[in-house]
Amino acid sequence: MNMPLIAAAAMAGGAALGFFLCWVATRLAAGNHAAATRLATAAKKKMGTMDKVLILEGVILVAYTAADLAVFWHTGNEPATLTACVFGVCGFENGVMGWIKTTKEKQAAARKNGSGQTAAPVEPPTERKEPPDVGI
């Protein structure tokens, strides 16, 4: 009976600490207009598919963690294999999305370069002069 009270107190304390830190950060950044300008321009950008997938994964992981804690609380055992699989799949998905984003950025840089490649090709010289023989 003591464990649920400790868990509830820890959760309430963590939430209160989080709200307090957000309040402090807001007060400290109140005079920083550059940060507000950056946030305003970032808000104008369209949310991409990868951003939506990342938000969905975050919601799924938080919900899974809550469900995992409930299972642990009721049974006393944690489904370690399932936890490893869930976090492994989400980690793999994030790795693939990072690879896709990196590839897209490289392609955009190549298009900006105008050559269609990441660097200009180096061609060997057509004619070259041989150095003179030096007798030793």
Side-chain angles (χ1 to χ4, degrees):
M1 187 64 183
N2 221 2
M3 185 65 78
L5 294 175
I6 293 172
M11 187 172 152
L17 180 63
F19 282 116
F20 175 72
L21 290 176
C22 288
W23 178 78
V24 168
T26 304
R27 293 292 178 188
L28 290 175
N32 191 354
H33 297 292
T37 305
R38 273 196 314 269
L39 287 175
T41 55
K44 291 180 184 177
K45 292 182 181 178
K46 181 181 169 187
M47 183 180 283
T49 304
M50 286 189 186
D51 295 332
K52 292 176 185 175
V53 169
L54 285 173
I55 290 171
L56 178 64
E57 279 186 16
V59 168
I60 287 171
L61 288 176
V62 168
Y64 175 78
T65 303
D68 193 19
L69 288 172
V71 167
F72 180 72
W73 188 359
H74 289 293
T75 64
N77 293 323
E78 187 233 347
T81 304
L82 181 61
T83 302
C85 290
V86 168
F87 280 88
V89 166
C90 288
F92 179 74
E93 175 68 23
N94 289 337
V96 169
M97 286 195 310
W99 174 74
I100 290 171
K101 185 170 181 154
T102 303
T103 304
K104 282 183 179 181
E105 288 175 354
K106 285 181 182 177
Q107 289 175 351
R111 280 193 298 269
K112 209 182 254 189
N113 189 10
S115 66
Q117 297 177 0
T118 55
V122 178
E123 299 202 12
T126 54
E127 293 182 23
R128 64 179 201 185
K129 296 180 182 179
E130 294 293 324
D133 289 336
V134 177
I136 298 181

